[in-house]
Amino acid sequence: MLQPPSPNQGYEHVYIPTKVRLPVGILVHKEFVEGFKATLINRGGQVIEDFDTRKGNTIQDPKYDDYTEHQRDQIAPYIHQSRLEKSLRHIREPVNSSNPHRGKDGIALLVNPAFKYPIHHIQHEHPLLTKFTLTVILNHKLLIHCLYLPPSLDSETIDDILALLPLQYHSTTSTLICGDLNARLGSHTGDSSFNPRGRNVWNWLQSNNLIVWNSRLSFGQPTNYHFQGNSIIDYFISDTEFQSTQLAIRDDRSLSSTHKFMTLTFEVPSLLQRYDDSPLPQRLQWNLDKLKNKNICHQYRTTLEHNLGPLDVDFNSLHDSSSARNLIDRVVEIFSFSQGVLDAGSYSCF
């Protein structure tokens, strides 16, 4: 069952003795400290419980041999802090918040290589949509908006983004909106709170007759777990009914975030259809090597001369056409010329 993350967050060092009398500190998450110690002792190991690296008597570096006890006590906390800073470099990113390479406000779309339908990325012109949305169209049918609305945005900006967000493009039949909106919709989704952002989003949902799949398939199930409380702020929204729809909010997959991993599976029959719903024409292929045969080459020439005999094609006349009628006549002649070449090749070179 889903449950809030443990409030016992953080790391601590577990010190164990070594043969050279210098203890080794192992950095362990607080959730696993007691289990780690018990396992170590059960396997014949030892744990130093009263080892305090902030005390001067723990300093073994020879360069501090001339320091007095008082001086050692003063320098020990700084040495301890230096060791902690080195340890932080080996801790995963959520703890090492000073990582300069960590992303911010980013949206990414990952596509399964087995997905065989065309994907078109929409480049928004408005700076608000460019910054807070990622939009694609699948197979000319399904419009998808990946949306992130950070808590720092004011109410007016939220309304502007939602109003600018296109809910339909040429040829699209369905629209899906997904992402972290930081909006709590209260009783509409089974959340315990209805925040001001939620009112903006709810008015937008109502005015566009949009479907909130969280309400239908995971009512009351939090998407974000925080020590201040749980909330529903990540959504799947659509403008049409999907078939065989399932929404899963996973608590067994860590994203190194308070937000839970969510998946929405559904069927859109129109997505599987070709854009123009017409079969692809079969491409004609000629074996031009056959023209090396004198008999076939002669046959091709004879057929081509026969097909083009009635035509008097002057390509330069296209530039001199004085009327639409003359232009149409020239186009018809060129088409007939092309068809004559095609028929001759098809007759001789297949």
Side-chain angles (χ1 to χ4, degrees):
M1 295 181 62
L2 295 178
Q3 56 184 352
S6 170
N8 190 22
Q9 299 294 322
Y11 293 79
E12 70 176 63
H13 284 93
V14 176
Y15 293 94
I16 59 177
T18 64
K19 294 181 179 180
V20 294
R21 296 188 302 173
L22 293 176
V24 174
I26 301 177
L27 195 63
V28 182
H29 193 280
K30 289 183 177 180
E31 279 286 289
F32 308 104
V33 168
E34 295 304 321
F36 176 78
K37 289 181 178 180
T39 301
L40 187 64
I41 294 174
N42 289 338
R43 293 181 177 272
Q46 295 180 342
V47 176
I48 304 177
E49 297 287 359
D50 57 349
F51 189 80
D52 188 352
T53 56
R54 292 167 296 183
K55 298 294 185 180
N57 59 5
T58 63
I59 299 177
Q60 301 291 328
D61 193 330
K63 69 180 181 181
Y64 298 109
D65 287 347
D66 296 335
Y67 280 51
T68 65
E69 182 179 349
H70 177 68
Q71 289 175 324
R72 284 171 172 264
D73 287 339
Q74 286 185 319
I75 197 66
Y78 294 99
I79 297 176
H80 175 69
Q81 181 176 346
S82 176
R83 290 170 178 166
L84 290 178
E85 291 175 353
K86 292 179 181 179
S87 298
L88 282 174
R89 300 172 188 170
H90 303 281
I91 299 178
R92 59 181 184 171
E93 289 185 0
V95 178
N96 183 10
S97 59
S98 61
N99 184 357
H101 302 293
R102 190 174 183 183
K104 181 181 179 182
D105 296 352
I107 304 176
L109 176 68
L110 305 180
V111 180
N112 191 318
F115 189 79
K116 60 182 179 180
Y117 298 101
I119 302 174
H120 177 62
H121 178 210
I122 300 297
Q123 299 284 353
H124 294 294
E125 296 182 358
H126 198 283
L128 284 177
L129 294 183
T130 300
K131 184 174 183 180
F132 299 110
T133 67
L134 187 153
T135 301
V136 297
I137 297 178
L138 303 185
N139 199 30
H140 309 279
K141 300 291 185 179
L142 179 61
L143 174 64
I144 298 180
H145 293 297
C146 302
L147 184 62
Y148 174 59
L149 303 180
S152 58
L153 297 180
D154 57 41
S155 179
E156 183 177 354
T157 304
I158 293 297
D159 286 337
D160 289 342
I161 294 174
L162 296 178
L164 289 167
L165 196 66
L167 296 180
Q168 188 176 11
Y169 271 87
H170 174 66
S171 81
T172 59
T173 59
S174 302
T175 299
L176 174 66
I177 302 162
C178 56
D180 175 10
L181 309 187
N182 282 295
R184 304 184 67 175
L185 301 179
S187 60
H188 299 296
T189 57
D191 199 350
S192 59
S193 178
F194 199 129
N195 64 2
R197 172 80 60 87
R199 300 188 185 279
N200 297 80
V201 173
W202 180 250
N203 291 336
W204 170 70
L205 293 170
Q206 291 293 99
S207 62
N208 291 281
N209 296 317
L210 299 178
I211 301 169
V212 181
W213 290 102
N214 301 61
S215 301
R216 291 194 180 185
L217 304 178
S218 60
F219 187 83
Q221 190 171 355
T223 65
N224 181 53
Y225 288 86
H226 197 268
F227 68 90
Q228 294 179 340
N230 306 332
S231 58
I232 302 174
I233 56 177
D234 308 282
Y235 299 95
F236 283 108
I237 301 167
S238 71
D239 65 344
T240 55
E241 295 283 354
F242 294 148
Q243 299 179 11
S244 305
T245 310
Q246 295 181 336
L247 173 59
I249 302 176
R250 307 284 295 272
D251 66 339
D252 58 340
R253 296 290 180 89
S254 173
L255 298 179
S256 300
S257 169
T258 59
H259 297 262
K260 291 302 177 181
F261 180 63
M262 301 171 59
T263 60
L264 182 73
T265 59
F266 56 92
E267 294 181 3
V268 182
S270 62
L271 180 63
L272 304 180
Q273 300 174 2
R274 280 180 35 80
Y275 173 53
D276 56 4
D277 294 324
S278 60
L280 289 173
Q282 185 177 2
R283 183 177 180 181
L284 298 178
Q285 295 182 342
W286 293 354
N287 184 1
L288 296 181
D289 286 340
K290 288 186 176 182
L291 294 177
K292 296 178 180 179
N293 185 294
K294 292 183 178 181
N295 293 331
I296 293 179
C297 184
H298 175 72
Q299 184 182 54
Y300 173 76
R301 288 177 177 273
T302 302
T303 305
L304 183 61
E305 290 174 358
H306 173 76
N307 290 340
L308 302 184
L311 298 178
D312 182 17
V313 181
D314 181 6
F315 292 99
N316 293 326
S317 64
L318 280 175
H319 302 286
D320 301 328
S321 298
S322 57
S323 67
R325 181 61 188 173
N326 289 338
L327 180 59
I328 293 175
D329 291 342
R330 300 288 81 77
V331 171
V332 171
E333 289 178 354
I334 292 176
F335 176 78
S336 300
F337 175 85
S338 301
Q339 189 65 42
V341 174
L342 177 63
D343 292 343
S346 300
Y347 179 76
S348 306
C349 301
F350 272 145

